[in-house]
Amino acid sequence: MMYKITLLFMVATYACLGLVEGYRPSYRAAVYEHALFQPTHFRTVSRSQALRDMKKNLDIYAEQTRIASSQNVDIIVFPEDGIYGLNFNRDTIKPYLEDIPDPTEITWNPCNQSEYTNGVEVQITLSCMARNNGIYIVANMGDKKVCDADSICPDDGQRQYNTDVVFDPQGNLVARYHKQHLYFEAQFDTPSTVERVTFDTPFGKFGIITCFDILFKSPAVDLVEDLGVKNVIFPTAWMDSLPLLSAIQFHSAFAKLFKVNLLAANLHFPLFNFHGSGIYSPRRTEAYYYNDGLFSPGKLLIADVKSSPTHYRRHQVVPDTHGFRGGNSLGASFVHGQDTAEVNTQSRRNGGHYNTASRNGIISHQLADQASGVHLNNDLGPLTHRSIRNRIHNHAHLHRVNRHMVENGWATIMADNDNYQYLPLTEPKAKVKICQNEVCCYLDYQKQNTSNDELYALGVFDGLHQIEGLSWYTQVCVLLKCEFTDIASCGQPTKIAAGHFEYLKLWGTFTTEYVFPEVLVSDDGKLRLEHEHWKYLHNRIEFVNRGKESPLLSATLYGRHYDRDNSTVSNSV
């Protein structure tokens, strides 16, 4: 009997350590937010010129890999588009592409190649980088495949894929993933079938997704639910989209909801709001970086991570609606104080156009979910002749990039027409409710400070989110700080807040089980994550002030109804 008890204790102990599956209990991870070199010749160049362009970024990769290796990092992740940059078309990307073999079909170690080197130079560089530093390397590059005779083929005779590659510490290619959900990437093709790619390491099983993939069920959710992945690799070129989808905001929420580790490496290109990387775990953020200064640097993040975070379990929470009144499609009531009067719907933003309607203080308008403005970083270090010359060069370089990208629509692709409804929080303490279609949002709150200079609001949306032909179905409850004191500005991007709450409880009634809990605070105009004193339950966020929290920008329950992504449900109420 004692032997059996001892054996059971050992098995339980190993299970807690993640050793039953044969993995180490923890590993050291690194993600690099890369301030990329962006080519300025927006035309088709030779392969040799493309290699020179890519070498500038790969040299930075090599240096960061050496630093990571010197600190005993096991795996390092680089961002999407980090090797060749942004804003290509189908022809101009061609010299930057390579034919990447499928590691499930052949064994491929480019660093060992002595003869076959033409056309695989980037793979050789990455492979040798991994082998020379004894580290797993994840990078993003372009793959090209000549069409089969029987396949439906593009006019140029080849398929081109946005591709993640993984090299092990010996330099072997162990994983290749073709991005499924493209985001305005005319240079690439969508794979005919969704790839669910995983790879094993001594410290855990990893899955791979890229950027826009994270918003959809396949392959992101499938990797976790069907394949049991607990560590997700996430190269991305993510444009911050306030108030709901900044990089650090949504990526940390993904780790919370699915109880996984997410290694998110983003580009650092603040001119177009590409920034925000992190190593996210279910219970906390291990490390993250957010810096929107125009000439701010990239950054290497390193953190120790448990190989097997607690297995997630979603459960329904029966909402407590006691004390809340109202609740039809435009219903909202205050428990404390009178219903607010009708408000002015004229936006302070010049040229702003809103589809507005008000009833009992509720405003319905089009949410401006777009990238926030560029902020110059005034802390640029000591001025020297060399630094001044470099800054002049950088200004000229970014001006050329900026002009070309604006001409090609990058500045406007984040705009959308979601019909959010907002209820202003004018009382210092209240229980309020607002509903739209099938979703009702409840908020129980008490403000710590009441100021006429700021307006917070409770918002709701239940419908198909649409951007330039792309769409996904969302159900959202959000408490946010409005840009101005005019309710028509609620939902406009802002990074400035001064408001504090003594407590708040936000929850909603959703018809999807996939609800991402997001909290974003403001630190002198910089986005920050806040975890201490916040509780995240299914469909619920709770907070009690302990006196050290930063001003709240937003607390959001961002629901994804994957089954309705192809629906034609109207957003109108």
Side-chain angles (χ1 to χ4, degrees):
M1 176 65 71
M2 183 59 68
Y3 170 78
K4 291 182 178 180
I5 294 175
T6 302
L7 181 61
L8 289 173
F9 175 78
M10 292 175 63
V11 170
T13 301
Y14 289 162
C16 290
L17 294 175
L19 298 178
V20 167
E21 296 172 328
Y23 299 128
R24 281 166 31 198
S26 65
Y27 62 96
R28 180 162 289 183
V31 301
Y32 181 61
E33 179 158 314
H34 176 45
L36 67 89
F37 170 81
Q38 172 68 42
T40 56
H41 36 256
F42 300 105
R43 55 181 173 78
T44 303
V45 299
S46 64
R47 172 65 175 175
S48 60
Q49 178 61 56
L51 289 173
R52 287 193 292 271
D53 292 341
M54 292 187 286
K55 185 178 185 300
K56 295 177 182 179
N57 290 308
L58 287 169
D59 285 347
I60 299 173
Y61 281 24
E63 177 61 22
Q64 297 303 318
T65 300
R66 284 192 291 271
I67 295 172
S69 178
S70 71
Q71 298 187 38
N72 299 315
V73 166
D74 296 296
I75 184 168
I76 184 169
V77 183
F78 292 101
E80 180 186 23
D81 298 326
I83 292 177
Y84 42 70
L86 301 159
N87 203 40
F88 292 92
N89 61 38
R90 189 169 185 87
D91 292 325
T92 57
I93 193 65
K94 287 187 185 323
Y96 297 85
L97 305 177
E98 295 187 2
D99 187 351
I100 307 170
D102 184 349
T104 65
E105 297 179 354
I106 67 169
T107 300
W108 172 238
N109 189 317
C111 195
N112 289 339
Q113 298 299 316
S114 58
E115 297 180 359
Y116 181 63
T117 60
N118 190 36
V120 293
E121 293 88 348
V122 173
Q123 294 174 71
I124 291 173
T125 300
L126 293 171
S127 173
C128 293
M129 201 182 298
R131 189 179 74 173
N132 295 340
N133 291 281
I135 192 173
Y136 281 89
I137 287 181
V138 184
N140 177 267
M141 57 185 296
D143 187 14
K144 61 181 180 181
K145 290 287 177 284
V146 176
C147 295
D148 297 330
D150 297 333
S151 64
I152 300 175
C153 187
D155 293 339
D156 56 10
Q158 69 179 22
R159 295 193 175 279
Q160 302 174 175
Y161 299 109
N162 180 329
T163 307
D164 298 325
V165 292
V166 184
F167 292 94
D168 71 12
Q170 290 73 46
N172 297 302
L173 179 68
V174 295
R176 183 199 69 184
Y177 169 66
H178 294 145
K179 181 180 179 182
Q180 181 65 32
H181 299 280
L182 301 178
Y183 190 81
F184 301 99
E185 300 169 71
Q187 68 270 38
F188 292 124
D189 297 300
T190 300
S192 57
T193 59
V194 178
E195 300 177 3
R196 305 196 301 180
V197 175
T198 65
F199 63 97
D200 277 304
T201 73
F203 43 86
K205 179 180 181 180
F206 287 75
I208 314 172
I209 56 176
T210 310
C211 202
F212 201 37
D213 288 333
I214 201 171
L215 281 168
F216 298 90
K217 188 174 188 298
S218 297
V221 180
D222 296 344
L223 289 172
V224 178
E225 293 190 333
D226 298 342
L227 302 183
V229 166
K230 299 174 183 177
N231 298 274
V232 179
I233 300 294
F234 185 58
T236 184
W238 191 281
M239 297 175 71
D240 262 6
S241 182
L242 290 170
L244 304 179
L245 290 175
S246 72
I248 61 175
Q249 177 185 23
F250 186 73
H251 303 163
S252 60
F254 184 92
K256 289 192 203 78
L257 174 63
F258 291 113
K259 300 295 186 292
V260 297
N261 300 316
L262 183 73
L263 279 54
N266 199 0
L267 286 180
H268 190 75
F269 196 1
L271 179 65
F272 281 94
N273 299 289
F274 293 95
H275 41 54
S277 299
I279 300 172
Y280 306 106
S281 294
R283 295 181 180 273
R284 66 178 189 177
T285 295
E286 307 294 344
Y288 76 101
Y289 177 59
Y290 179 88
N291 191 336
D292 61 2
L294 186 58
F295 298 117
S296 54
K299 191 174 183 66
L300 180 66
L301 301 177
I302 297 175
D304 292 318
V305 183
K306 292 183 179 179
S307 300
S308 181
T310 304
H311 186 67
Y312 79 97
R313 179 178 60 190
R314 290 190 300 276
H315 58 279
Q316 288 297 118
V317 175
V318 178
D320 176 14
T321 59
H322 178 71
F324 292 80
R325 295 183 286 112
N328 56 25
S329 64
L330 272 172
S333 296
F334 289 100
V335 171
H336 304 275
Q338 299 298 317
D339 290 356
T340 58
E342 186 166 309
V343 298
N344 180 13
T345 62
Q346 176 62 40
S347 169
R348 295 187 186 183
R349 299 176 70 89
N350 293 331
H353 300 283
Y354 297 95
N355 172 22
T356 60
S358 64
R359 171 181 156 187
N360 295 333
I362 304 165
I363 284 296
S364 171
H365 65 70
Q366 309 298 332
L367 176 67
D369 180 15
Q370 55 192 336
S372 55
V374 174
H375 299 271
L376 292 176
N377 183 1
N378 294 321
D379 184 17
L380 296 175
L383 289 176
T384 65
H385 289 297
R386 182 176 181 179
S387 67
I388 292 173
R389 184 171 64 251
N390 287 342
R391 290 175 202 180
I392 293 173
H393 170 76
N394 287 339
H395 272 292
H397 175 79
L398 289 178
H399 176 73
R400 290 193 297 271
V401 174
N402 177 62
R403 183 179 62 186
H404 192 270
M405 293 179 75
V406 168
E407 288 172 355
N408 283 274
W410 278 78
T412 59
I413 61 175
M414 294 303 292
D416 73 78
N417 297 306
D418 290 351
N419 189 26
Y420 275 72
Q421 294 163 249
Y422 288 101
L423 172 68
L425 305 182
T426 58
E427 298 294 320
K429 180 179 180 180
K431 294 181 178 180
V432 295
K433 167 188 174 183
I434 186 169
C435 299
Q436 183 182 99
N437 298 331
E438 297 177 299
V439 177
C440 284
C441 303
Y442 299 85
L443 176 66
D444 181 3
Y445 73 93
Q446 179 177 340
K447 296 179 182 177
Q448 186 183 69
N449 55 346
T450 56
S451 171
N452 294 328
D453 297 331
E454 286 191 315
L455 176 65
Y456 283 84
L458 176 64
V460 63
F461 177 71
D462 178 16
L464 200 63
H465 176 92
Q466 295 177 303
I467 302 176
E468 298 289 330
L470 300 175
S471 63
W472 58 97
Y473 200 101
T474 63
Q475 295 184 328
V476 180
C477 292
V478 56
L479 162 64
L480 54 74
K481 189 261 180 183
C482 303
E483 185 181 22
F484 305 117
T485 55
D486 180 350
I487 195 171
S489 72
C490 297
Q492 297 292 334
T494 182
K495 299 180 182 179
I496 305 297
H500 293 268
F501 288 78
E502 287 291 345
Y503 68 83
L504 66 85
K505 296 179 181 179
L506 172 68
W507 70 98
T509 57
F510 299 87
T511 58
T512 175
E513 60 180 325
Y514 301 101
V515 181
F516 298 86
E518 305 176 336
V519 172
L520 205 58
V521 300
S522 176
D523 180 11
D524 293 328
K526 300 291 185 182
L527 302 187
R528 296 289 182 264
L529 296 174
E530 192 75 76
H531 295 294
E532 191 174 4
H533 311 312
W534 291 83
K535 293 182 180 179
Y536 307 100
L537 305 172
H538 182 54
N539 295 2
R540 191 180 187 96
I541 296 176
E542 296 183 4
F543 164 75
V544 177
N545 196 304
R546 295 292 187 267
K548 297 181 180 180
E549 287 72 21
S550 298
L552 181 67
L553 270 175
S554 63
T556 309
L557 295 168
Y558 189 90
R560 279 288 288 113
H561 217 308
Y562 302 113
D563 294 339
R564 297 183 181 178
D565 282 351
N566 296 319
S567 67
T568 56
V569 176
S570 172
N571 289 345
S572 62
V573 177

